[in-house]
């Protein structure tokens, strides 16, 4: 039997799985942020739209159209010394029903001296019976700035969808000069709809987000951020050089209406990437 025939026999009946790896490193040159290292493999693609300031914007694309059990995507980014790097996604990431296994998404970000990185992916949509484990690891230089926003939707309310059951695990580890400055774990498992209905969890809301800013402006940003959150089901806290805000809303549209002005303020008034409004 030929090698091709053996491979075909071994893989026959196996479900196809999406695999993706993306790497990007930015460097400073002539007062602007430039591309230093670029790599993409499988379903992970990166596009660099033209910018009209000194920073760089990278748009991440999952060409598989969504993730399900057994799929895996691995992103790695480095904002070199003195750079400004904004990372976003072309669209919301959809996590579909998993027949078996768990989808995994791992993101590692390094921010060098005097640099800033903004991690601004669009919302993650969890469909019923979805299974996702996600990891965010960030290493900051002593004077680096970092902004992260992660929003999650339990189905699409406008489409009459909801996540009744499934698994969503989210793990964050942020370090500055090797010292852990922020760690959190979120886990929704089993009967998710019943869990999110509890007053101490989401009180029946179908969308939530976490915003994290690490940098010297944290204390000054707190009062304006609280004012922007207004009477939303949200809260913001600040200590040392870190600001954390958590927001929940009935659906993705209501959540965006709250998030967009807050994110813009945390970006010193800069607008969000254009893909957020397409």
């Amino acid at each position: 039997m030929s090698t091709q025939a053996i491979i075909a026999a071994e893989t026959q009946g196996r479900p196809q799985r999406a695999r993706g790896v993306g790497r990007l490193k930015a460097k400073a040159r002539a007062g602007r942020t430039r591309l230093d290292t670029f790599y993409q493999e499988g379903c992970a693609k990166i596009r660099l739209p033209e910018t009209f300031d000194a920073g760089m914007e990278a748009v991440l694309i999952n060409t598989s159209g969504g993730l399900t059990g057994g799929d895996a995507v691995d992103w790695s980014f480095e904002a070199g010394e003195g750079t400004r790097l904004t990372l976003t996604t072309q669209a919301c990431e959809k996590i579909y029903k998993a027949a078996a296994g768990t989808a995994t998404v791992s993101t590692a970000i390094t921010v060098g001296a005097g640099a800033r990185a903004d991690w601004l992916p669009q919302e993650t949509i969890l469909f019923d019976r979805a299974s996702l484990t996600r990891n965010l690891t960030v290493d900051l230089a002593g004077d680096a700035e970092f902004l992260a926003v992660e929003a999650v939707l339990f189905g699409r309310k406008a489409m009459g969808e909801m996540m009744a059951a499934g698994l969503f695990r989210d793990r964050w580890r942020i370090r500055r000069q090797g010292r852990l400055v922020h760690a959190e774990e979120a886990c929704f498992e089993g009967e998710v709809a019943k869990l999110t209905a509890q007053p101490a969890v989401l009180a029946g809301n179908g969308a939530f987000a976490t915003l994290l800013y690490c940098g010297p402006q944290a204390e000054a940003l707190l009062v304006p951020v609280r004012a922007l959150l207004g009477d939303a089901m949200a809260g913001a806290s600040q200590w040392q050089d870190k600001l954390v805000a958590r927001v929940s809303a009935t659906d993705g549209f209501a959540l965006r209406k709250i998030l967009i002005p807050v994110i813009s303020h945390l970006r010193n008034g800069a607008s969000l990437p254009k893909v957020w409004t397409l």
Side-chain angles (χ1 to χ4, degrees):
M1 183 181 294
S2 67
T3 302
Q4 291 82 358
I6 293 172
I7 294 173
E10 290 178 346
T11 59
Q12 187 174 10
R14 291 183 187 176
Q16 188 175 17
R17 294 301 183 218
R19 297 286 186 270
V21 177
R23 304 275 185 268
L24 183 147
K25 180 180 179 181
K27 64 182 179 181
R29 190 177 68 185
R32 293 183 62 87
T33 299
R34 303 290 189 182
L35 186 63
D36 183 35
T37 302
F38 183 92
Y39 176 83
Q40 57 185 19
E41 174 186 326
C43 67
K45 306 300 180 186
I46 305 172
R47 296 296 178 263
L48 304 174
E50 183 179 1
T51 59
F52 299 96
D53 57 24
M56 174 184 289
E57 181 178 305
V59 179
L60 316 183
I61 303 170
N62 171 16
T63 59
S64 68
L67 299 173
T68 187
D71 294 344
V73 179
D74 188 348
W75 301 107
S76 179
F77 308 102
E78 182 175 347
E81 181 177 350
T83 60
R84 297 292 182 269
L85 179 62
T86 297
L87 303 159
T88 187
T89 57
Q90 184 188 42
C92 297
E93 184 65 274
K94 300 176 180 66
I95 312 299
Y96 296 110
K97 176 182 177 181
T102 298
T104 60
V105 179
S106 298
T107 304
I109 302 173
T110 301
V111 189
R116 172 167 177 152
D118 290 359
W119 172 243
L120 306 175
Q122 296 190 62
E123 299 90 341
T124 295
I125 303 174
L126 300 167
F127 290 83
D128 192 28
R129 302 289 174 178
S131 184
L132 171 67
T133 295
R134 193 169 64 182
N135 292 279
L136 174 65
T137 304
V138 182
D139 291 292
L140 305 174
D143 60 350
E145 286 186 88
F146 176 67
L147 171 64
V149 179
E150 285 283 13
V152 176
L153 312 182
F154 293 102
R156 297 176 296 186
K157 186 176 180 180
M159 304 295 290
E161 301 164 351
M162 65 176 294
M163 184 185 188
L167 170 66
F168 172 61
R169 288 197 181 101
D170 201 17
R171 182 179 191 269
W172 293 28
R173 294 292 184 271
I174 317 297
R175 293 177 173 83
R176 186 178 292 281
Q177 292 182 304
R179 182 176 66 87
L180 186 67
V181 296
H182 185 80
E184 65 174 79
E185 302 271 347
C187 182
F188 296 83
E189 185 173 8
E191 296 182 337
V192 173
K194 290 184 178 180
L195 179 62
T196 58
Q198 296 179 23
V201 184
L202 291 177
N205 283 326
F208 77 95
T210 298
L211 301 92
L212 169 70
Y213 168 80
C214 293
Q217 300 182 65
E219 184 175 359
L221 288 168
L222 180 61
V223 172
V225 165
R226 284 178 170 170
L228 288 169
L229 293 175
D231 59 359
M233 187 175 175
S237 301
Q238 179 274 324
W239 61 103
Q240 297 177 347
D241 71 342
K242 181 173 66 173
L243 183 151
V244 178
R246 303 190 191 277
V247 186
S248 68
T250 55
D251 55 30
F253 179 72
L255 184 65
R256 276 205 176 199
K257 287 174 64 178
I258 301 167
L259 287 179
I260 288 175
V262 176
I263 297 171
S264 179
H265 185 72
L266 292 172
R267 281 165 55 82
N268 300 315
S271 59
L272 273 73
K274 288 184 178 180
V275 288
W276 272 67
T277 58
L278 294 179

